[in-house]
Amino acid sequence: MKRIIAILLCLLLILCGTTACKPDTLTNPVVITDPDEQPQEPLPPQDQGAADQPEEQPDEQPEETPDEKTEEQPETEEQPTQAAPLNHPFAAEGFKPSAETKGTLNLSGLTKNTDPAAALKDRTIALYTAADQPTFNYVNQKGDTISEWDWMKSMAEAYGFTLKLTVKKAETSLKAQRVALFAGKKLSLLQFGEKDLAAAMTLAQSAEDYLDASAATDGVSKAVLEQSKQTLFAPKGMVSSLWYNKDLMPQETDPAALAKENKWTIDAYKAIWDASAEKGILPQEIDDELAWITLSGKSPLTLLKGKLDSNLNARTTRELWADLKDLRVQFKPFTPADETEYSLKAGNAAMTFTAAPERGEEQTLQTAPLPSMKEGTAGTVTFAGTFMALPRYQDEADAPAALTFAETWCNRYTEARAADLFALGMTAEDYVNYVDFAEENGHLIFRSAEIETLAETLLKCTWDPAINQEQEYSKIRTQLNALIDRHNLYY
């Protein structure tokens, strides 16, 4: 009997223990949802691991008050403004322009089917300089100034090629290169300044067949390549723009700040002009009427289907000139003081249109594009400096080495240019925006000294109400067309 009672007690303990161990949170599902009956959007890859987790109930989360949402919003908005500069090597934290031959920028693969490491080995690079002054300089580790030509020599030593560099004056360089090519002299590359672009194109050939248009590069201007039919190689960020002394601007009129919002207009420009003239300050030191024509959306001297073309009498140009003439007649006249030289550097000029301004001591210089004609649109800048191109009559086998050198030159030129801009006080973020703006809104003008001399009076028509634009153009039309046709015989 005792044995039976003991067995019954054990069974009772086992039953009670099982009930006590069951968790309070364990419940049987009330409804089983069939996935086929209630389709759901697939989870992103990073969230797939959460599919087995219990779903969070929204009503269990504390609701944000309007104030809390407002406080958190700026953190979300700050992210995009910092992203763009960080994507550029010159905007990396702690960046300093290179003091070495190689530079910061690497070859990008722009020249297709080329091994960059072997392209220059045991080759010969022969070229004439565009002028008797180097295109760029940089400072090495010892604090010495290294010129473009010294850099070329160092490149030859580092990459194992032979450099044949002939220094020419700016006035005779293009002619000397033409004579050399026609005489059968072997040149790897042409080099010339912006004032010779129209004539230089008669000696150059397109590099389109050798280039990979999809290659991303921080050192070669793709805008220049595109506008020159893949012929001209130029650094990024080498443009002429409107530089100004910030301390001489009227209150609440900052061209750079206005340009960021597409509010930098000819009316704002006029306000600066009038305020400067009233104070005895030269409103603008250097101007360029050809550059102003780009506000029409077209370059005054450009390529059309690979040929030189003039927009000096295009409908858009005539309309722009008419608008400028109406506005400029209202500008306050400036009367210079006797025996006074005016310049941005001297502090008695407010603005200048140039690629490389000279800064006076303790000056704060900033840059902006030419002002647009109406709010909501961007202004323009024009490509400047020195360019390279493949010469005609060049062996196809020589092109890869020449183009590799051209890209390396552009990369080093770009970095030297960036160093100059940083020295003028430009921030890394502003530099990135500056370069991007130039690539998007820069115009290449195929300048010709002959054409500019011929059109000298015509180009003054927006400042001189006495000049009739139509009559003046009719005077030069025949000669202008003849000059263009002569160039196009060799384009």
Side-chain angles (χ1 to χ4, degrees):
M1 186 67 181
K2 290 181 179 180
R3 185 177 179 182
I4 294 173
I5 293 172
I7 293 173
L8 290 173
L9 288 172
C10 288
L11 290 172
L12 182 62
L13 287 171
I14 292 172
L15 289 172
C16 292
T18 303
T19 304
C21 289
K22 181 179 179 180
D24 293 338
T25 57
L26 183 61
T27 58
N28 293 324
V30 178
V31 178
I32 299 177
T33 303
D34 185 347
D36 295 331
E37 294 178 357
Q38 188 175 346
Q40 299 179 354
E41 293 183 4
L43 291 170
Q46 65 270 24
D47 293 335
Q48 288 178 359
D52 298 332
Q53 302 298 322
E55 183 180 359
E56 294 183 1
Q57 299 298 322
D59 57 351
E60 293 180 2
Q61 302 297 324
E63 294 186 0
E64 293 177 327
T65 65
D67 290 341
E68 289 172 337
K69 292 179 181 178
T70 303
E71 290 175 359
E72 292 182 0
Q73 189 65 25
E75 295 181 3
T76 304
E77 292 179 348
E78 286 177 1
Q79 298 301 321
T81 59
Q82 296 180 358
L86 294 178
N87 288 335
H88 195 287
F90 295 171
E93 185 176 356
F95 169 78
K96 291 183 179 180
S98 175
E100 300 177 356
T101 299
K102 184 176 182 299
T104 301
L105 303 178
N106 297 318
L107 292 172
S108 64
L110 183 64
T111 304
K112 59 186 179 183
N113 302 323
T114 299
D115 176 7
L120 291 167
K121 181 69 174 176
D122 298 327
R123 308 291 298 193
T124 296
I125 298 295
L127 72 156
Y128 289 1
T129 65
D132 55 0
Q133 295 296 320
T135 295
F136 62 83
N137 300 283
Y138 65 92
V139 178
N140 68 5
Q141 300 95 325
K142 298 179 180 179
D144 299 328
T145 298
I146 305 300
S147 73
E148 171 199 20
W149 305 336
D150 293 331
W151 170 81
M152 289 182 179
K153 295 173 185 176
S154 297
M155 279 287 296
E157 295 175 2
Y159 286 82
F161 64 89
T162 300
L163 175 69
K164 293 183 178 180
L165 183 66
T166 304
V167 177
K168 293 291 182 180
K169 293 182 178 181
E171 296 78 14
T172 60
S173 174
L174 189 63
K175 181 179 179 180
Q177 292 178 79
R178 180 183 290 110
V179 170
L181 289 177
F182 289 167
K185 186 177 179 65
K186 194 170 184 178
L187 294 180
S188 306
L189 290 160
L190 302 173
Q191 191 185 71
F192 36 81
E194 61 184 289
K195 67 180 182 62
D196 290 325
L197 288 186
M201 290 291 287
T202 65
L203 304 178
Q205 66 165 307
S206 172
E208 184 173 9
D209 293 341
Y210 305 102
L211 301 182
D212 179 1
S214 65
T217 168
D218 289 312
V220 181
S221 172
K222 283 195 168 183
V224 169
L225 276 172
E226 182 180 347
Q227 293 179 42
S228 65
K229 199 180 177 183
Q230 309 298 314
T231 301
L232 300 179
F233 286 77
K236 278 192 173 181
M238 192 62 195
V239 293
S240 290
S241 57
L242 201 64
W243 287 87
Y244 61 95
N245 185 336
K246 190 174 181 180
D247 294 335
L248 299 182
M249 295 297 102
Q251 189 174 7
E252 298 182 357
T253 305
D254 184 355
L258 292 172
K260 289 180 181 179
E261 301 178 0
N262 282 343
K263 294 181 180 179
W264 172 229
T265 65
I266 190 68
D267 290 329
Y269 175 87
K270 178 181 180 298
I272 295 173
W273 182 286
D274 290 349
S276 301
E278 188 173 348
K279 295 178 181 178
I281 298 169
L282 177 66
Q284 188 168 328
E285 178 188 3
I286 301 173
D287 204 355
D288 183 353
E289 286 305 312
L290 283 180
W292 280 96
I293 295 176
T294 62
L295 292 177
S296 69
K298 295 181 178 180
S299 171
L301 296 168
T302 185
L303 294 186
L304 179 64
K305 297 181 179 179
K307 298 289 187 178
L308 183 63
D309 186 53
S310 166
N311 285 313
L312 291 175
N313 198 48
R315 178 182 57 81
T316 54
T317 302
R318 296 197 305 270
E319 292 174 352
L320 172 71
W321 274 349
D323 291 340
L324 282 175
K325 180 176 287 189
D326 290 342
L327 286 165
R328 283 175 169 174
V329 75
Q330 304 172 31
F331 281 20
K332 187 175 181 63
F334 170 74
T335 304
D338 293 338
E339 299 181 357
T340 302
E341 293 185 5
Y342 294 87
S343 69
L344 195 68
K345 182 179 181 180
N348 53 10
M351 300 176 287
T352 188
F353 187 81
T354 184
E358 290 189 77
R359 183 176 65 168
E361 292 184 8
E362 299 182 358
Q363 276 187 346
T364 300
L365 300 185
Q366 288 188 305
T367 186
L370 289 175
S372 62
M373 296 304 293
K374 60 181 180 180
E375 189 170 314
T377 58
T380 60
V381 294
T382 58
F383 292 104
T386 306
F387 303 77
M388 276 191 178
L390 289 178
R392 297 191 179 191
Y393 323 117
Q394 184 186 58
D395 292 339
E396 186 174 340
D398 296 330
L403 292 176
T404 298
F405 183 84
E407 182 180 2
T408 307
W409 174 81
C410 284
N411 288 347
R412 202 65 189 87
Y413 190 176
T414 295
E415 188 160 7
R417 168 66 172 173
D420 291 340
L421 293 172
F422 292 151
L424 286 170
M426 187 176 285
T427 66
E429 180 179 357
D430 285 342
Y431 172 80
V432 175
N433 293 333
Y434 172 85
V435 170
D436 289 346
F437 184 92
E439 290 296 291
E440 294 173 10
N441 300 283
H443 286 267
L444 187 62
I445 302 176
F446 288 84
R447 296 180 183 271
S448 162
E450 292 175 295
I451 292 177
E452 290 186 60
T453 299
L454 179 66
E456 184 177 4
T457 303
L458 175 68
L459 292 172
K460 295 178 181 178
C461 71
T462 58
W463 284 107
D464 189 346
I467 299 175
N468 184 295
Q469 185 270 333
E470 291 185 9
Q471 291 180 3
E472 190 59 37
Y473 181 76
S474 66
K475 295 178 183 178
I476 69 170
R477 178 174 55 193
T478 301
Q479 288 176 274
L480 175 63
N481 290 337
L483 285 173
I484 292 174
D485 290 343
R486 190 186 74 191
H487 284 309
N488 282 332
L489 288 175
Y490 305 98
Y491 267 49

